[in-house]
């Protein structure tokens, strides 16, 4: 089973029994750049995750499914026009494939990842972080309010509503998955329902945007105007049943640790009460947007 491809311009550089190397052209015209930090175009970090995922699927001689993201560390941004090179070492032990991947651009290493795959089949999270805390105060904020807090826009704005929030502590959001999203435009009419599995990278991005909303919730607008939220890494990500059009994602995010301008988040995502994503740790930090301006200008000039 092949998943939806978020970065279509890819080629195999080398492959053997121990792993695979692939290159991905980061097209400046890719629609995601219109909505992901529009004034500071960066490839979403989860697209790097998806590139590694596509490399592992290309290397496999049978159907595999991603079950655990053991760790991801983002080290430098990927910019429009870059070539992203993925080197993935694949080791099989007791029917489980452990993947260690390094990603780089022309400027050096951009990310390191450790992933775990099993044979395709039913997938269930056995320890999805339960929501033990007292419910956060209920609210009802739609896209207009969200756009004041985070810079994401179509097609990269992947949160629809905020339903509960306790600033500095927790947030509950939802995102409706529909078959009209741009990620599905190349799915052939002949594909069965399995062909519409929502990309894992976008599921995680949607949860992470909810975390960014929580980080920005009680900050002054003039302060947010000069800041961007950058995700530095994640670990302990468990994946449950596939998400498909018609599902309503309920993201539950809470802060497990906070320093000045940096947060560690945890939580889960459910669909009709079933956990589809469990998050042990995601780190994000608010940084001056001027740093991104300088970086993108240097890379493009």
């Amino acid at each position: 089973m092949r998943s939806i491809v978020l970065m279509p311009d890819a080629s195999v550089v080398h492959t053997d029994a121990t792993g695979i190397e692939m290159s991905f052209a980061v097209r400046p015209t890719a629609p995601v750049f219109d909505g992901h930090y529009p004034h500071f175009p960066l490839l979403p970090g989860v697209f790097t995750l998806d590139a590694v995922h596509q490399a592992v699927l290309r290397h496999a001689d049978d159907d595999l499914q991603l079950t655990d993201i053991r760790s991801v560390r983002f080290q430098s941004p990927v910019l429009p026009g870059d070539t992203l090179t993925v080197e993935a070492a694949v080791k099989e032990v007791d029917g489980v494939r452990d993947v260690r991947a390094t990603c780089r651009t022309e400027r050096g290493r951009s990310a390191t990842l450790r992933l775990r795959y099993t044979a395709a089949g039913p997938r269930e999270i056995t320890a999805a972080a339960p929501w033990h805390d007292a419910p956060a105060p209920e609210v009802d904020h739609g896209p207009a309010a969200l756009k004041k807090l985070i810079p994401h826009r179509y097609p990269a704005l992947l949160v629809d509503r905020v339903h509960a929030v306790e600033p500095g502590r927790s947030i509950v959001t939802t995102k409706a998955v529909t078959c009209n999203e741009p990620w599905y435009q190349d799915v052939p009419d002949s594909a069965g329902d399995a062909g519409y599995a929502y990309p894992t990278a976008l599921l995680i991005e949607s949860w992470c945007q909810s975390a960014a909303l929580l980080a920005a919730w009680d900050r002054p607008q003039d302060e947010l105007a000069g800041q961007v939220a950058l995700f530095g890494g994640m670990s302990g990500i468990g994946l449950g049943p596939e998400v498909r059009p018609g599902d309503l994602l309920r993201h539950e995010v809470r802060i497990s640790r906070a320093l000045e301008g940096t947060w560690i988040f945890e939580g889960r995502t459910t669909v009709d009460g079933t956990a589809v994503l469990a998050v042990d740790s995601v780190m994000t930090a608010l940084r001056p947007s001027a740093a991104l301006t300088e970086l993108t200008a240097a890379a493009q000039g």
Side-chain angles (χ1 to χ4, degrees), residues 45 49 69-74 111-115 232-235:
L49 167 64
I69 301 170
R70 305 188 70 181
S71 67
V72 178
R73 182 184 177 193
F74 298 115
T112 55
L113 306 89
R114 288 193 64 189
L115 313 177
M234 61 185 73
S235 63

Side-chain angles (χ1 to χ4, degrees), residues 16-163:
D16 58 27
T18 64
I20 186 170
E21 180 179 351
M22 288 186 67
S23 65
F24 296 80
V26 183
R27 291 183 297 176
T29 57
V32 69
F33 289 121
D34 293 334
H36 188 259
Y37 294 157
H39 300 295
F40 318 100
L42 303 172
L43 187 74
V46 293
F47 274 54
T48 298
L49 167 64
D50 190 71
V52 174
H53 180 58
Q54 297 304 326
V56 173
L57 295 184
R58 185 74 68 92
H59 179 265
D61 54 7
D62 53 6
D63 283 346
L64 293 179
Q65 63 181 1
L66 177 61
T67 55
D68 296 280
I69 301 170
R70 305 188 70 181
S71 67
V72 178
R73 182 184 177 193
F74 298 115
Q75 294 158 296
S76 65
V78 180
L79 305 178
D82 283 347
T83 296
L84 179 67
T85 300
V86 171
E87 296 180 11
V90 183
K91 183 178 181 180
E92 183 171 355
V93 179
D94 297 330
V96 175
R97 298 191 196 187
D98 185 77
V99 176
R100 296 173 181 258
T102 300
C103 303
R104 67 178 188 274
T105 67
E106 296 88 335
R107 293 176 302 283
R109 183 177 295 183
S110 59
T112 55
L113 306 89
R114 288 193 64 189
L115 313 177
R116 181 171 290 177
Y117 288 78
T118 61
R123 193 171 60 181
E124 181 179 356
I125 297 175
T126 57
W131 198 251
H132 288 316
D133 297 341
E138 292 187 2
V139 296
D140 185 16
H141 294 291
L146 310 187
K147 289 181 177 181
K148 294 179 181 178
L149 296 172
I150 57 176
H152 305 76
R153 298 295 185 266
Y154 177 86
L157 179 57
L158 302 181
V159 179
D160 294 331
R161 302 199 74 79
V162 175
H163 297 276

